[in-house]
Amino acid sequence: MTDYQMLIDGKWESGTGTMPVLNPANESVMATVPKATPEDAERALAAAARAQRAWGRRTGLERGNILRQWAALVDKNKPHLAQILSQEEGKPLTEALGEIDFGRSWLEYYAEFDRRIEGDIVSADKPNEQLWIVPQPVGVVVGIIPWNYPSALTLRKAAPALIAGNALVLKPHEDTPLSALEMAKLAQEAGVPEGVFSVLTGAGEVVGEALVKSRIPRLVTFTGSVETGKHIMRMAADTVKVVSLEMGGKAPFIVMDDADLESAVKTAVFSRFLNCGQVCICNERTYLHKRIADKFLSRFIEEVKKLKVGNPLESGVTLGPKVNKPELEKVERYVDDARKSGAEIIIGGKRPSGEAFKNGYWYEPTIITNVRQNMSIMQEEVFGPVIPVMEFNDFDEGLTLANDSRYGLAAYLFTNDMNRILRAVRDMEVGELYINRGPGESIHGFHTGWKQSGVGGDDGKYGLEEYLQRKTVYIRYQG
Ligand code: NAD
């Protein structure tokens, strides 16, 4: 077991109290981390404000070189980072290794903006005048992240924040703080200056709130649940901060009668059970055209039965535990509600039995049929290895069912009909649409939620824009 410290203003600190970090596969305490206080939050923010002035005045090239160095260190330490990630979050080691690469790609990608942050010179309305629109860093940024991709999301926030010349104070989730702290060690080694990147561990309701309420930061970039995001938005209103909110989803997965069925089946399995179903863009509700429903379902069941639940560090395991007990109990509640409302559990629907699963937060891969659109399992984000499956009659009905949600993060459509594809592009109320393929956004796309799934977004040139503010300058000259 390791006693971790948190990073404030370039110094590692133990704080005044600690909290345990559990391994969700066996409930053992794998580490402790400090419990930051509101005073710690304010100190980290004040240090960030001091450090940001010098950091923002460095050239883009200097900042880019530090990000490149950081990326190289992530690559060098990949096995260690993946082990820690797998143990604190519960994802299979192969997935953890993939997440480390995914995270590193943000450092590499945003380093390329070292010479590419651009302003405008537009024609002035008056003679002897210049009109410039100048991009500048927002200043101090607060990043608040969830537990499901604690390593990659650290870098998804840090890379654009830092290349734009901001300082970032990051608060990882209580259950998965170690990946962010490990990344902070590498940031220091790469040459990120004191105060430019701090990591505070502790409770969202205490240190998270203090960070959001402080007068110092100008931007809060948050990834997490809709409920917390709404609360953050309300709190940020008092100081008129910019908020960028990446929140939950309830992605529909529509399979039409002309689809490549084998590909649809395999993708439906992958996009539901990846990371134990704990992905914001996961297939949360599968809709099958009535003509292919039976055929799809029997192949789907076969494929789901092949999933191997077990110790995430063991090779061949494809499904780890849920991240914590409340999350496990939430999944159980949704399944029980569905059962009570008349749904049929085709496979799973319970915790696995046996010595290997005595401790830890395990749940069997579960398929549910006989569901109705108004059931909670079809409306609320389950975020677990559970998939409700429903039939529909035609494309119009499929679209209507897909859009019948307060969420609007992602959607999947399997069809080879160009008219349907183009209609989906026009009519699907989501920020991310996957056609004939599974999940996995590109760093240069724009990861954004519509409706209650979010405000603003991450990645690419549009994501970078969140970390900049623009100043319009009117200059009059003589002669
Ligand atoms: P959560 O909202 O419970 O926690 C997220 C973060 O907010 C944590 O760091 C937590 O400590 C902090 N927090 C909690 N209360 C706070 C408060 N009052 N003030 C400030 N901070 C506070 O979410 P979670 O359970 O960690 O994550 C799962 C959710 O995240 C799911 O809904 C998932 O869909 C979503 N998610 C979205 C994306 C995306 O890109 N859209 C990506 C990953 C996860």
Side-chain angles (χ1 to χ4, degrees):
M1 197 185 78
T2 318
D3 294 323
Y4 275 77
Q5 295 178 306
M6 59 186 170
L7 184 64
I8 301 179
D9 196 12
K11 283 145 209 96
W12 291 96
E13 297 189 11
S14 300
T16 45
T18 60
M19 50 203 280
V21 180
L22 301 187
N23 179 336
N26 56 26
E27 297 173 65
S28 66
V29 177
M30 60 180 287
T32 67
V33 292
K35 228 188 226 178
T37 62
E39 293 71 41
D40 294 328
E42 199 59 20
R43 265 189 319 115
L45 290 168
R50 284 193 302 275
Q52 189 273 328
R53 280 180 219 117
W55 178 247
R57 287 173 196 175
R58 288 205 191 181
T59 63
L61 193 57
E62 284 176 290
R63 292 196 295 265
N65 283 337
I66 290 178
L67 293 194
R68 279 182 274 272
Q69 181 59 23
W70 192 357
L73 289 168
V74 170
D75 198 37
K76 193 172 145 203
N77 290 278
K78 186 166 143 180
H80 170 69
L81 295 169
Q83 280 273 340
I84 290 190
L85 169 58
S86 173
Q87 287 175 71
E88 73 170 340
E89 199 262 350
K91 59 173 50 103
L93 190 58
T94 43
E95 284 187 34
L97 287 162
E99 181 175 339
I100 305 300
D101 284 338
F102 194 30
R104 195 197 66 236
S105 69
W106 273 294
L107 291 172
E108 291 167 347
Y109 172 72
Y110 277 117
E112 290 176 20
F113 281 81
D114 53 357
R115 295 185 175 103
R116 292 198 185 133
I117 294 179
E118 294 173 350
D120 310 87
I121 301 176
V122 293
S123 48
D125 283 344
K126 298 195 173 152
N128 282 32
E129 279 199 5
Q130 288 263 340
L131 202 176
W132 299 345
I133 301 172
V134 182
Q136 296 194 324
V138 294
V140 175
V141 177
V142 165
I144 299 180
I145 57 171
W147 46 261
N148 66 335
Y149 284 90
S151 181
L153 291 178
T154 295
L155 299 180
R156 186 181 233 170
K157 304 295 188 195
L162 266 52
I163 197 67
N166 302 291
L168 174 69
V169 177
L170 186 84
K171 200 214 81 67
H173 193 275
E174 293 82 325
D175 289 330
T176 54
L178 307 183
S179 290
L181 293 169
E182 291 288 340
M183 282 299 172
K185 287 184 199 165
L186 300 181
Q188 259 192 329
E189 203 181 326
V192 173
E194 290 182 355
V196 168
F197 180 48
S198 292
V199 177
L200 291 180
T201 50
E205 294 76 10
V206 179
V207 65
E209 292 216 1
L211 289 169
V212 175
K213 284 179 177 164
S214 166
R215 294 168 66 95
I216 298 174
R218 294 305 313 140
L219 165 69
V220 177
T221 173
F222 166 80
T223 303
S225 66
V226 172
E227 299 323 311
T228 309
K230 285 181 184 174
H231 185 53
I232 285 177
M233 201 171 189
R234 283 186 207 107
M235 289 191 289
D238 277 342
T239 43
V240 195
K241 287 184 188 71
V242 180
V243 289
S244 176
L245 307 174
E246 293 291 316
M247 304 190 285
K250 186 73 188 167
F253 191 107
I254 302 180
V255 187
M256 289 305 302
D257 51 350
D258 67 331
D260 174 342
L261 224 54
E262 243 341 85
S263 161
V265 166
K266 295 226 165 91
T267 311
V269 175
F270 176 73
S271 72
R272 168 70 288 183
F273 296 97
L274 176 71
N275 198 20
C276 196
Q278 305 168 128
V279 187
C280 57
I281 55 172
C282 252
N283 164 17
E284 279 265 336
R285 43 192 174 121
T286 299
Y287 294 108
L288 303 176
H289 188 279
K290 63 179 178 193
R291 270 200 286 273
I292 49 89
D294 288 345
K295 201 166 162 206
F296 180 100
L297 196 59
S298 63
R299 277 290 297 121
F300 188 58
I301 294 167
E302 273 171 26
E303 288 299 313
V304 172
K305 281 184 175 162
K306 289 184 193 164
L307 293 168
K308 185 162 179 236
V309 184
N311 179 352
L313 295 179
E314 247 172 50
S315 93
V317 163
T318 45
L319 205 77
K322 282 283 296 169
V323 73
N324 60 33
K325 196 159 175 233
E327 274 290 320
L328 171 64
E329 290 171 349
K330 181 191 74 182
V331 169
E332 288 181 316
R333 264 196 316 278
Y334 280 125
V335 175
D336 288 347
D337 275 2
R339 199 185 267 124
K340 279 184 206 137
S341 311
E344 192 181 339
I345 315 295
I346 300 290
I347 60 168
K350 57 182 182 354
R351 299 183 189 196
S353 53
E355 195 54 29
F357 305 112
K358 217 172 92 203
N359 297 315
Y361 312 119
W362 306 95
Y363 203 78
E364 288 185 359
T366 299
I367 302 175
I368 304 181
T369 58
N370 217 7
V371 290
R372 291 184 307 280
Q373 181 70 4
N374 63 0
M375 287 181 180
S376 60
I377 202 131
M378 297 299 281
Q379 291 292 334
E380 298 305 326
E381 187 184 41
V382 176
F383 226 53
V386 171
I387 184 71
V389 181
M390 188 173 155
E391 278 185 37
F392 62 92
N393 292 306
D394 55 34
F395 185 63
D396 284 328
E397 193 193 356
L399 264 186
T400 305
L401 290 167
N403 284 339
D404 174 29
S405 175
R406 72 178 169 126
Y407 297 101
L409 190 59
Y412 301 83
L413 171 64
F414 274 74
T415 180
N416 286 309
D417 180 326
M418 203 57 196
N419 291 314
R420 289 169 180 158
I421 291 173
L422 292 177
R423 280 194 54 200
V425 170
R426 186 190 65 190
D427 295 338
M428 285 278 216
E429 297 165 359
V430 292
E432 208 158 279
L433 180 55
Y434 293 100
I435 294 174
N436 294 325
R437 62 155 277 186
E441 58 266 26
S442 291
I443 41 171
H444 57 308
F446 185 45
H447 183 59
T448 176
W450 286 22
K451 301 203 262 188
Q452 291 190 29
S453 288
V455 170
D458 282 323
D459 308 342
K461 62 179 181 179
Y462 298 109
L464 182 63
E465 210 43 48
E466 307 277 333
Y467 295 87
L468 295 166
Q469 52 192 349
R470 298 204 176 246
K471 187 178 284 173
T472 304
V473 184
Y474 300 86
I475 307 171
R476 178 164 297 171
Y477 58 94
Q478 309 246 316

